[in-house]
């Protein structure tokens, strides 16, 4: 892996982010929810888990997709695909900024809600898997979209679907909708995060972790396949 190329892409992403008020405004959503939950009595562990899910679903995926969409509109993505950089270097370079932004958002929310995390190591593992999954999905949407408008049309419904799937499921306890939402990555992230915050035994949420790993691997495979096809097409 060429660190010089990776550093150059990182600097470029940073400058693109500074001028993108749409992405920066998305960061406000999880922090605003954290402020609301901090003022509620009890259920702060649930509030932190929900904000955790919103941070990865909104910030990571949205930022990733929009930054790629802007690359397409500026016709700079084709130049990047034709560069000597490997597929791994390009995907990592395009993901670091959105990942760092998400981590900062979650850390701020954590201080706002002020909840003691009983299993910080497991929460870190869940965060890593969630970041990889949503960065991959954001990249996939950015690659499949033709322009920034189309990117926004795709990403917003998915952000709400993944970010609010546990809340939506509460209104559909039975039936096919509840069954479908039970397999949503957002559901697994929420359940695993809540268990890690409360320090539950790993066996109680082991299934959620395994399903999340499966979703992450599948997202990475599909994204790499689409990325390779787009690169060959150029």
């Amino acid at each position: 892996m060429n660190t010089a190329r990776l550093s150059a892409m990182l600097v470029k992403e940073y400058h693109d982010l500074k001028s993108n008020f749409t992405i920066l405004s998305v960061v406000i959503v999880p922090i605003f929810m954290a402020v609301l939950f901090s003022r509620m009595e009890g259920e702060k562990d649930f509030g932190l888990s929900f904000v955790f899910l919103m941070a990865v679903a909104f910030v990571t995926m949205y930022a990733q997709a929009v930054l790629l969409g802007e690359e397409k509109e500026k016709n700079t993505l084709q130049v990047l695909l034709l560069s000597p950089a490997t597929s791994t270097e390009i995907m990592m370079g395009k993901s670091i900024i959105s990942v760092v932004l998400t981590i900062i958002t979650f850390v701020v929310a954590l201080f706002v809600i002020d909840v003691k995390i009983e299993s910080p190591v497991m929460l870190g593992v869940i965060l890593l898997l969630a970041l990889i999954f949503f960065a991959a999905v954001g990249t996939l949407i950015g690659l499949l979209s033709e322009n920034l408008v189309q990117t926004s049309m795709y990403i917003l419904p998915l952000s709400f679907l993944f970010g609010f799937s546990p809340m939506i499921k509460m209104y559909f306890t039975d039936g096919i909708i509840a069954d479908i939402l039970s397999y949503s990555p957002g559901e697994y992230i929420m359940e695993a995060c809540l268990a890690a915050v409360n320090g539950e035994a790993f066996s109680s949420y082991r299934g959620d972790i395994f399903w999340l790993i499966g979703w992450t691997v599948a997202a990475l495979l599909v994204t790499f396949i689409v990325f390779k096809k787009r690169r060959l097409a150029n």
Side-chain angles (χ1 to χ4, degrees):
M1 185 175 295
N2 191 304
T3 55
R5 286 198 293 258
L6 198 60
S7 299
M9 283 188 282
L10 182 58
V11 171
K12 179 184 179 301
E13 292 299 301
Y14 170 70
H15 288 295
D16 288 343
L17 178 66
K18 284 197 306 182
S19 60
N20 195 312
F21 294 103
T22 305
I23 294 177
L24 295 176
S25 64
V26 173
V27 175
I28 298 173
V29 178
I31 296 176
F32 175 72
M33 294 301 298
V35 172
L36 292 182
F37 279 115
S38 69
R39 297 176 179 272
M40 295 181 182
E41 293 295 332
E43 300 294 335
K44 288 190 176 182
D45 53 347
F46 174 85
L48 180 63
S49 302
F50 183 61
V51 171
F52 178 99
L53 177 58
M54 289 192 69
V56 291
F58 279 80
V59 182
T60 310
M61 186 166 63
Y62 188 86
Q64 190 75 8
V66 169
L67 286 173
L68 272 173
E70 286 188 341
E71 291 273 15
K72 281 193 171 182
E73 288 207 340
K74 296 175 183 176
N75 293 319
T76 54
L77 183 60
Q78 288 78 7
V79 177
L80 188 61
L81 292 175
L82 293 171
S83 70
T86 65
S87 300
T88 303
E89 288 172 347
I90 294 174
M91 289 190 68
M92 286 187 63
K94 299 297 295 181
S95 304
I96 291 175
I97 287 294
S98 58
V99 166
V100 171
L101 191 62
T102 305
I103 293 174
I104 293 173
T105 303
F106 179 66
V107 170
V108 171
L110 180 60
F111 278 106
V112 170
I113 298 180
D114 191 22
V115 177
K116 182 181 178 181
I117 300 173
E118 299 294 339
S119 301
V121 174
M122 284 310 303
L123 187 64
V125 172
I126 296 163
L127 177 60
L128 177 62
L129 289 171
L131 287 171
I132 295 172
F133 171 77
F134 282 108
V137 175
T139 302
L140 181 62
I141 293 171
L143 290 172
L144 294 176
S145 303
E146 296 300 326
N147 49 55
L148 193 55
V149 174
Q150 198 175 81
T151 301
S152 300
M153 288 176 60
Y154 291 157
I155 200 66
L156 285 176
L158 282 176
S159 296
F160 277 96
L161 178 62
F162 287 138
F164 287 96
S165 57
M167 304 293 284
I168 298 172
K169 188 184 174 185
M170 292 173 63
Y171 294 95
F172 298 94
T173 54
D174 298 309
I176 188 170
I177 295 180
D179 293 338
I180 293 173
L181 291 176
S182 296
Y183 292 97
S184 166
E187 181 73 14
Y188 297 124
I189 292 170
M190 181 78 176
E191 292 294 330
C193 182
L194 187 59
V197 170
N198 290 323
E200 296 179 18
F202 177 69
S203 57
S204 65
Y205 58 98
R206 179 174 51 199
D208 296 315
I209 297 293
F210 287 158
W211 272 103
L212 183 55
I213 291 173
W215 272 105
T216 303
V217 171
L220 282 173
L221 286 175
V222 173
T223 303
F224 267 109
I225 290 170
V226 173
F227 187 89
K228 287 285 188 181
K229 287 184 177 180
R230 287 298 173 102
R231 193 161 193 175
L232 290 173
N234 289 282

